[in-house]
Amino acid sequence: MFNKKKKENPGFSTRAIHVGQQPDPETGAVSAPIYPTSTYVQQGIGEHKGYEYSRVSNPTRTRVEENLAALEGGIGARVFSSGMAAINAITTMLQAGDHVVCGNDLYGGVPRLFNQVLSTFGLEFTYVDTTDARSVERAIEKNTRMVYVETPTNPLMSITDVATVSRICRKRKVDLVVDNTFMSPYFQQPLALGADLVVHSTTKFLNGHSDGLGGVVICTREDQMEKLAFIQKAAGAILSPFECWLILRGVKTLAVRMEQHDRNGRKIADFLARHKRIPKVFYPGLPDHPQHELAQQQMSGFGSMITFETGSLSNAKKMLKRVRVCSLGESLGGVETLISHPATMTHAALGEKGRRAIGITDGMVRISVGIEDVKDIIDDLDQALAAI
Ligand SMILES: Cc1ncc(COP(=O)(O)O)c(C=O)c1O
C-alpha cells in the first residue's frame, strides 16, 4: 500500500489503520472482508489466484500478517491459533540436541511447553535471569541456537536489555526471540533493538477486546518466513479468518488504547505504591523499579501491567473476592481491567518450588489496567484493599 521505493514512511497509527486494511476491491467495503472459506475454485490444474486451501493461506490472514509485520518493522509475519501455538511454531526451527537459553520469569505456559513437552523430543532448556546480560552469555553453550526472553516479564515486570543481549546473540550466532506481548509494538520495538524474531499472544493488547485468541511471529529473514509458513501448512495451528479480522479491527485503535492504558497504569501504580497495606509494587514506571532507567530507554511507555504484594494468600483472596470494577480472571490487555492471582492462575504450572525460586509469592496480585475511568478503578481497588 505504501511505496517503499518512494521512501514513504507512514506513522504507527497510519500503518495500523491502512496496511493490510485496504478497502475491498470488489465492493469498496472499508472494513476488510472475512473470507470464511476452506477452499478456492481453481481455473485449471495449477491455475489459481494465489490461494488453494485455507490451512495454507487465506486472504484475511494475509492482511493481518502484513499489518502486524508493518507494526513491528519485520519483513513478514505468520499468525497462529494462540500465543502458545506461535511459540511452539518457533521451536520447530530447532532440532533434537539443540539448546535454548530462556528467561527464568516467563508466562507459566511457556516453561510448561518447554519442560513437559519439548524436552521429551530432545530439546534442552536452561533458565537464567536475563536482566543480567552476563548470565545469558555464560549460559550459551556450543549447541545453543536460541535465546528466548519476555520483557517486561510476567508477572515480576523485570526488564531485559534487548540491545545488549542481541549483541551477545549476534556474536555467538544465536537467534534472539522476544515476547513483546506486554508492551505491544506501540511501546517497544525489539526488532529495531536487534532481536531476530518477535512473538505475541495477540489475545492481549493487539486484539485488545478479550474476544479472540491468537498468536503471531514477526520475522526478520526469509528462511524464518518459509519455515513458519511450512509449519502453518504441516501442523495446521492457523488462525481462523474471523479471529484474523478481530485483530485487524483491534489494531486500528492500538495507539489510542495503549496511551490510555499507560495513563491509567501510571496512576494505579502510584496509588498502590502509596497504599499503606501494599509492601511492594512491581511496575517499570516507578522510580524505585530496579530497571527504571533501562525501561525509559528501551520503551516509549510503561504500559498497564502491574504486580503488587498483598502480604499473604489470605489477603490476596480477601481482596480479590471484593473487586467489582476489576474482573477476576486470567489474561490481560483488554479494554476492561482484569485482575489475577499468578500463584494459582497463570503460574500454577510452575509448582510452589519453581515459583519460590524466582520470587513469585502467594500474596502477589497482577493487574492488567484497562481503559475505564481511572477514578473508578482506584475506588474499586481501595474498597477491596480495605478487606486486608
Ligand atoms: C506474555 C505471554 N506470552 C504468551 C502467552 C500465551 O498466549 P495465549 O494464551 O494466546 O496462548 C501469554 C498468555 O497469557 C502471555 O501472557
Side-chain angles (χ1 to χ4, degrees), residues 335-367:
V335 290
E336 61 291 294
T337 298
L338 285 172
I339 195 158
S340 66
H341 183 241
T344 56
M345 297 164 97
T346 47
H347 291 71
L350 286 188
E352 205 189 325
K353 217 169 127 208
R355 286 193 298 277
R356 204 174 327 116
I358 56 169
I360 301 178
T361 68
D362 287 351
M364 270 180 188
V365 168
R366 189 191 75 182
I367 181 163

Side-chain angles (χ1 to χ4, degrees), residues 126-145:
T126 301
Y127 297 88
V128 299
D129 176 2
T130 56
T131 62
D132 175 11
R134 283 165 310 180
S135 67
V136 176
E137 186 152 33
R138 278 196 297 270
I140 294 178
E141 310 268 356
K142 271 203 177 114
N143 60 339
T144 306
R145 298 280 167 267

